[in-house]
Each structure stands twice: as C-alpha cells, then as structure tokens.
Amino acid sequence: GGEVLSSPTVADGIVYIGGQDKNLYAVDTATGAEVWAFETNDRVTSSPTVADGTVYVGSTDHNLYAVDTDTGAEEWAFETDRMVRSSPTVADGTVYVGSDDGNLYAVDVATGNQEWIFEATGEIGPSPTVVDGTVYVGSDDRNLYAVDANTGTQRWIFNTPRSGNSSP
C-alpha cells in the first residue's frame, strides 16, 4: 500500500492509518486483516481521529474527510485551499483541523459545513488541541494560537523563537 506517514489510531478493535497510496485503511487489530480501504485523491499523511462511529482524516488532496467506521463509506468531504497534513481534533460536535493554506477550520461533524475559519499567517501542519472551550494550535509562522472554540476569535498569541511544528 505505499509508505506510511501517518500515526495509527485505534478504536473498537480497528486500527486506522493513512498511506502514500492515497488510502485510509481500517485494519482488524486481532488478525491484521483489512476491513476496508477508503481512497482519497492524494496521499494521506494526517493521522486519523475517531469519534462516534466516524473517522476523520485529512489528505494532501486539500480535503478533510468524514468516513463511516463500519463501512468505509464517505459521509462528507470538506475542501480547503491547500493540503491537510494536520490531524483533526473532535470536541462538542465540531471537528477542528489546520491546513497548509494557513487556516484553522471548525467544521460541523454531522454536516461537514464550516462553522468558522481562523486565519494564521503561516501553514498549520500541527494538530489542534481543544481544552475548556479553547483551541490551541501552532503554525510555521512561529506562533502558538489560542482560539475561542465557539467563535474562532483569537484569545491570545505566543511567539516562539522557531517554527511551531509540534502539536500542543
């Protein structure tokens, strides 16, 4: 299936992992057998996130995908302007993901509709973390951002001496 560049996620006896061959795979943890494969239009370097029967994953084809964990069928796709290397984070009915277009997106988990967009000044490759109504995310503009999870409004910004490529 090609080189694996995403970190695996395990939920309910299934391991989910993306590959260079454009697929998101679901593999049985007990047997190692493929349960299903979901094909995107480019590499899957984002690490999947699983919540409430859906696996969320980004692709370098510019999309965030929501895929049914049982069937591998696409529930929806949300398109950004550049590749999605960031791993999605799900909290309170919203999936948060960064894109190389410099934006942090809040997307409704049920519909795939954008709730809000936050514009950073650099690519957002790291994965966002959500705690107590605040989304924390780093950017290659050397900043750590704290963003209101409900409105997308910046709460504060912290400048680091080097690029913020790790996930908070």
Side-chain angles (χ1 to χ4, degrees), residues 8 13 19 22 39 46 49-50 60 68 72 75 91 94-95 102 106 109 115 117 124-125 128 136 149 151 154:
K22 306 178 184 180
E39 187 173 359
S46 166
T49 298
V50 178
T60 56
D68 184 276
E75 295 177 0
T94 302
V95 58
V109 295
E115 294 178 358
I117 184 173
I124 299 180
Y136 302 94
T151 65
Q154 180 177 300

Side-chain angles (χ1 to χ4, degrees), residues 9-14 16 24 26 35-36 38 48-57 65-76 90 109-110:
T9 299
V10 178
D12 300 321
I14 304 293
Y16 302 93
L24 169 67
V35 178
W36 51 256
F38 172 77
T49 298
V50 178
D52 300 322
T54 301
V55 57
Y56 303 92
V57 71
Y65 291 97
V67 179
D68 184 276
T69 56
D70 292 331
T71 65
E74 181 179 310
E75 295 177 0
W76 51 257
V90 177
V109 295

